[in-house]
């Protein structure tokens, strides 16, 4: 086509078809296939591009404009709040923009495929082969592209229901989308890193953030450690050789894990009710003062950790019971010959083996508690209120604070900034954990 | 734990006494713990059969038991409707999620194609974002698609969210299966699809059970997305309905809540106890594989 190609093609005649085919396909989808005498495929590609240009040109351009400007026409209202000019809705424009960008990426993938295909077919003809017929191509696609066909549904689900919302969520952090700047009444603007700076610099935000972060960390550590050791304790004592009905005990103790968690949390919310809950009623009957379980910050935290032990220990117990029963008895007998007592046998044999089997889960348990929304929100709803905090209560952890910022307070940009920070923290834990397990390093060795 | 020696006869009387004391105290601890574990269960079951409406008026041991609350729950509230909704969403989510997870896990485990490693990495990263970071976007997306306050909207959200974690888990399991059977089948001329259904599926029952149960139970527990997507009373799931019963209007519907809670908890608990072996194995695999 272009003058640069012809001389080079003359010099290297064996490269001719592949290069020309690729260039033609790069100019317009399907041209290279037509040139390689794959008419059916070429026409399909060309029709696809024509369709995109004719039908999708305007939406694509609109989407990019919307993503860039987030709207230019503010809503205008006349007398008595009647809308005289609808105006642009920044958030809809932004989502449409993100969708357009994702669609463009998919189109780009198809385009690259088309160029590579023209190149490969051309090369085959250069080397004296025959271009595949349409039917052959289809069969070939079915065989070689089987993996892609399998992945297509999952790909689109993930792209539009996970990736798209996440990209949008991240973008929100760089806007001023928060009450009172709410579409359709007001236009949202890009503000760069201003919200991040506000979180750390403005006292109303930084006080809350550090306070909530601190409790989130304490909570995650306490919740993980207590359940881990309580679980270990029960696994060990049930495993004592003179204890009978081991299976029965384990089944009873696994109940808290088996009951749907949101139900048992709501039950405990009632049990700990400060006025009418049974615990306080018993305390009063015993002549003691009732404890303000859910209305005092410290007691609320204590109650949370206690209830969490109830939920959490069965999982560890079940896991560790499995490890303990699988330990080879010979090891203990050898230790006995060497004069070890029960205590030593536990710390030198059982405990290291249990730790070895459960350490990766301990880290994931920590990450899980870090984001344990249900436990906090259903039990205390973050309460009791804390006047020193912006939109958070005394027992709120980061994730429940985000929930309140989003659904109750419309502080979307700040919620998004905090989400990004949570992601960073969880990512550090997961990557650390992942590198330890070596699953990823070794996963290609099976073939 | 103090003395697991097999030769009990060789023990001195002092040690014998000590061991007996240890065993006795273990039994005491076990019994006390069992009471603590079972107390909330008994309390809610008795609460559900307590005459009276409120938390305050329900004594631990009531004068007489009644099934009125169950009758009222079914006759006067939308409970049956919520139950049906939840069952429908859970079943659909189980089918769609399991299909999406298994197909992608099979592709990632058994085929080598350009973009494979990138895809795996992307799924790993996606798992680390807080689940409801995309809440606003999902809300607007469903609004645009006219799927707000619609069960299918919620099912799509659940299914989309379940892929990254599930696909990694199942892929790890598939990686561990021997390939000799598949190769033999391939030599016999079996297609990829046949190999999957005839060779891989039967070998993967434990992990498939785990994934299916997980995705079935998920919607019974989820509160965040259900509350976001479903708006009207007749579309609610059980989690929202029950939450509103105990948080709204000063606990006046406590006994109704108790009855509702029992009716949800019983089938799920039985399902769980029945399949606990698979669930423990699955969670273990999940932590080790990513």
């Amino acid at each position: 086509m272009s003058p640069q190609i012809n001389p080079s093609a003359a010099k290297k005649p064996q490269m001719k078809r592949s290069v020309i085919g690729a260039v033609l396909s790069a100019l317009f989808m399907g041209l290279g296939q037509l040139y390689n005498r794959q008419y059916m495929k070429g026409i399909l590609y060309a029709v696809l591009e024509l369709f995109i240009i004719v039908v999708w040109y305007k939406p694509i351009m609109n989407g990019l404009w919307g993503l860039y400007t987030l709207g230019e026409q503010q809503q205008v209202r006349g007398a008595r709040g009647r809308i005289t000019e609808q105006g642009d809705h920044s958030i809809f424009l932004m989502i449409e923009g993100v969708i357009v960008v994702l669609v463009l990426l998919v189109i780009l993938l198809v385009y690259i495929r088309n160029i590579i295909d023209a190149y490969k077919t051309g090369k085959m003809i250069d080397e004296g082969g025959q271009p595949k017929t349409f039917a052959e191509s289809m069969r070939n696609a079915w065989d070689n592209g089987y993996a892609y066909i399998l992945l297509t549904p999952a790909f689109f689900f993930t792209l539009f229901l996970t990736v798209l919302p996440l990209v949008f969520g991240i973008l929100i952090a760089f806007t001023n989308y928060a009450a009172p700047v709410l579409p359709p009444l007001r236009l949202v603007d890009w503000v760069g890193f201003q919200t991040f700076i506000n979180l750390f610099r403005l006292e109303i935000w930084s006080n809350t953030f550090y306070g909530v972060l601190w409790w989130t960390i304490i909570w995650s550590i306490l919740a993980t450690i207590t359940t881990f050791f309580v679980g270990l304790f029960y696994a060990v004592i049930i495993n004592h050789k003179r204890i009978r009905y081991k299976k029965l005990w384990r089944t009873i103790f696994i109940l808290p894990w088996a009951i749907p968690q949101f139900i048992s949390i709501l039950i405990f919310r009632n049990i700990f009710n400060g006025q009418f809950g049974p615990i306080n009623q018993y305390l009063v009957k015993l002549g003691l003062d009732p404890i303000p379980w859910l209305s005092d910050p410290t007691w609320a935290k204590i109650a949370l950790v206690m209830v969490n032990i109830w939920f959490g220990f069965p999982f560890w117990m079940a896991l560790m019971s499995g490890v303990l029963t699988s330990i080879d008895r010979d090891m203990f007998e050898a230790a006995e010959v060497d004069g070890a007592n029960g205590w030593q046998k536990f710390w030198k044999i059982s405990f290291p083996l249990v730790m070895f089997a459960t350490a990766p889960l301990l880290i994931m348990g920590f990450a899980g508690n870090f984001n344990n929304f249900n436990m906090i929100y259903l039990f205390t709803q973050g309460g009791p209120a804390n006047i020193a905090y912006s939109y958070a209560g005394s027992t709120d952890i980061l994730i429940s604070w985000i929930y309140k910022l989003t659904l109750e307070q419309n502080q979307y940009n700040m919620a998004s900034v905090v989400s990004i920070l949570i992601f960073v923290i969880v990512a550090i834990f997961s990557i650390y954990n992942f590198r330890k397990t070596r699953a990823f390093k070794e996963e290609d060795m099976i073939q | 734990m103090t003395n697991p020696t097999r030769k009990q006869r060789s023990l001195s009387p002092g040690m014998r006494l000590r061991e007996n004391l240890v065993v006795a105290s273990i039994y005491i601890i076990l019994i006390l713990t069992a009471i603590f574990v079972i107390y909330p269960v008994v309390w809610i079951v008795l609460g559900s059969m307590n005459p009276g409406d409120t938390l305050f008026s329900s004594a631990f041991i009531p004068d007489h038991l009644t099934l009125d609350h169950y009758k009222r729950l079914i006759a006067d509230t939308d409970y049956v409707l919520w139950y049906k909704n939840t069952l429908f969403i859970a079943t659909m989510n189980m089918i769609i999620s399991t299909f999406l997870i298994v197909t992608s896990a099979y592709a990632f485990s058994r085929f080598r194609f350009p973009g494979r490693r990138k895809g795996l990495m992307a799924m790993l990263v996606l798992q680390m974002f807080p689940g409801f970071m995309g809440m606003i976007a999902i809300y607007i997306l469903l609004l645009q698609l006219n799927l707000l306050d619609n069960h299918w909207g919620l099912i799509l959200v659940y299914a989309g969210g379940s892929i990254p974690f599930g696909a990694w888990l199942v892929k790890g399991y598939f990686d561990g299966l021997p390939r000799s059977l598949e190769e033999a089948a391939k030599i016999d001329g079996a297609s990829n699809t046949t190999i999957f259904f005839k060779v891989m599926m039967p070998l993967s029952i434990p992990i498939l059970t785990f994934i299916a149960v997980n995705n079935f139970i998920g919607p019974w527990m989820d509160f965040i997305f259900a509350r976001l997507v479903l708006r009207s009373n007749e579309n609610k799931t059980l989690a929202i309905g029950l939450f509103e019963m105990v948080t709204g209007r000063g606990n006046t519907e406590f006994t109704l809540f108790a009855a509702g809670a029992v009716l949800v908890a019983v089938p799920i608990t039985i399902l769980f106890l029945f399949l606990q072996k698979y669930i423990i194995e699955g969670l273990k695999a999940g932590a080790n594989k990513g």
Side-chain angles (χ1 to χ4, degrees), chain B residues 238-284:
Chain B
L238 285 166
I240 317 175
L242 289 175
F243 178 76
E244 286 172 358
M245 273 186 182
V246 271
T247 48
R249 285 164 281 165
N251 275 348
T252 45
E253 292 177 328
F254 172 72
T255 45
L256 267 186
F257 159 77
V262 170
L263 288 183
V264 181
V266 167
I268 297 284
T269 308
I270 291 173
L271 184 71
F272 183 95
L273 290 177
F274 198 62
L275 298 169
Q276 55 168 299
K277 196 182 85 198
Y278 294 127
I279 292 170
I280 294 172
E281 281 308 308
L283 284 173
K284 243 164 123 180

Side-chain angles (χ1 to χ4, degrees), chain A residues 91-92 146 148 161 168 234 236 240 242 244 254 258 262 273 276 310 333 345 361 412 440 443 447, chain B residues 1 4-6 19-20 27 33 36 56 112 114 116 136-137 140 156 168 171 193 220 251 272 276 287:
Chain A
I91 294 311
F92 286 177
Y146 192 76
Y148 291 113
L161 289 163
F168 173 82
Y234 284 100
V236 169
H240 191 286
R242 280 184 53 198
R244 299 181 65 193
I254 224 165
F262 86 93
N273 186 306
F276 312 118
W310 192 86
E333 279 172 17
K345 275 185 282 182
L361 285 159
Y412 302 109
F440 201 65
E443 68 99 23
Q447 218 184 20
Chain B
M1 163 186 106
T5 320
R6 282 181 190 167
E19 191 184 284
N20 285 342
Y27 273 120
T33 315
F36 271 105
F56 181 65
R112 294 295 176 270
R116 174 176 172 277
I136 318 158
I140 295 169
L156 288 180
W168 255 101
K171 174 204 161 282
T193 319
W220 297 81
N251 275 348
F272 183 95
Q276 55 168 299

Side-chain angles (χ1 to χ4, degrees), chain A residues 51-277:
Chain A
F51 179 80
I52 290 168
I53 289 176
V54 173
V55 182
W56 285 3
Y57 177 76
K58 237 184 121 174
I60 286 175
M61 279 323 190
N62 271 340
L64 293 178
W65 165 83
L67 187 60
Y68 183 73
T69 62
L70 294 183
E72 286 166 343
Q73 174 62 56
Q74 187 156 344
Q75 192 172 79
V76 182
R77 292 193 178 206
R80 279 181 264 133
R82 212 163 44 82
I83 298 171
T84 49
E85 166 76 54
Q86 192 55 50
D88 295 324
H89 192 300
S90 303
I91 294 311
F92 286 177
L93 287 176
M94 189 165 165
I95 290 212
E96 283 157 16
V98 176
I99 294 176
V100 161
V101 170
L102 290 178
V103 169
L104 279 177
L105 283 178
V106 173
I107 293 175
L108 193 70
L109 277 180
V110 176
Y111 215 109
I112 292 172
R113 274 270 89 170
N114 136 70
I115 297 173
I116 292 174
D117 175 72
Y119 179 81
K120 280 192 175 159
T121 313
K123 199 169 177 188
M124 214 166 74
I125 300 172
D126 287 340
E127 286 162 2
Q130 276 291 314
K132 290 200 184 83
T133 66
F134 188 63
E136 271 171 355
S137 301
M138 289 302 285
R139 208 173 312 127
N140 195 34
W142 180 254
D143 286 340
N144 290 334
Y146 192 76
Y148 291 113
I149 295 164
L150 281 177
L151 282 174
T152 305
F155 175 76
F156 281 104
F157 263 79
T158 314
L159 190 66
F160 285 102
L161 289 163
T162 311
V163 177
L164 166 73
L166 279 181
V167 170
F168 173 82
I170 294 169
L171 289 179
I172 289 286
F174 302 95
T175 67
N176 60 352
Y177 181 29
V181 185
L182 296 176
L185 260 180
R186 304 265 304 262
L187 288 177
V188 173
D189 283 314
W190 295 108
V191 295
F193 282 92
Q194 192 55 48
T195 318
F196 287 83
I197 294 167
N198 288 350
L199 178 65
F200 292 107
R201 290 276 171 80
L202 289 186
E203 221 158 76
I204 50 159
W205 290 113
S206 65
N207 273 349
T208 318
F209 176 67
Y210 291 126
V212 172
L213 177 67
W214 182 235
W215 162 238
T216 310
I217 292 171
I218 302 225
W219 153 256
S220 318
I221 294 172
L222 275 181
T224 315
I225 298 284
T226 49
T227 49
F228 182 85
F229 282 103
V230 172
L232 178 66
F233 176 73
Y234 284 100
V236 169
I237 64 171
I238 294 176
N239 205 41
H240 191 286
K241 55 186 296 186
R242 280 184 53 198
I243 297 298
R244 299 181 65 193
Y245 311 115
K246 288 185 167 45
K247 223 178 151 169
L248 173 75
W249 293 116
R250 283 190 196 126
T251 309
I252 294 176
F253 292 166
I254 224 165
L255 265 181
W257 185 22
I259 299 170
Q261 215 199 17
F262 86 93
I263 294 215
S264 28
I265 297 176
L266 292 177
I267 293 172
F268 270 107
R269 190 190 167 103
N270 285 296
I271 290 181
F272 279 90
N273 186 306
Q275 269 180 292
F276 312 118

Side-chain angles (χ1 to χ4, degrees), chain B residues 120-142:
Chain B
L120 282 170
M121 270 323 255
M123 290 202 305
L124 203 64
V125 174
L126 287 178
Q127 277 179 58
M128 296 173 194
F129 282 96
F132 51 79
M133 193 168 165
M135 240 171 5
I136 318 158
I138 286 178
Y139 180 81
I140 295 169
L141 206 65
L142 294 177

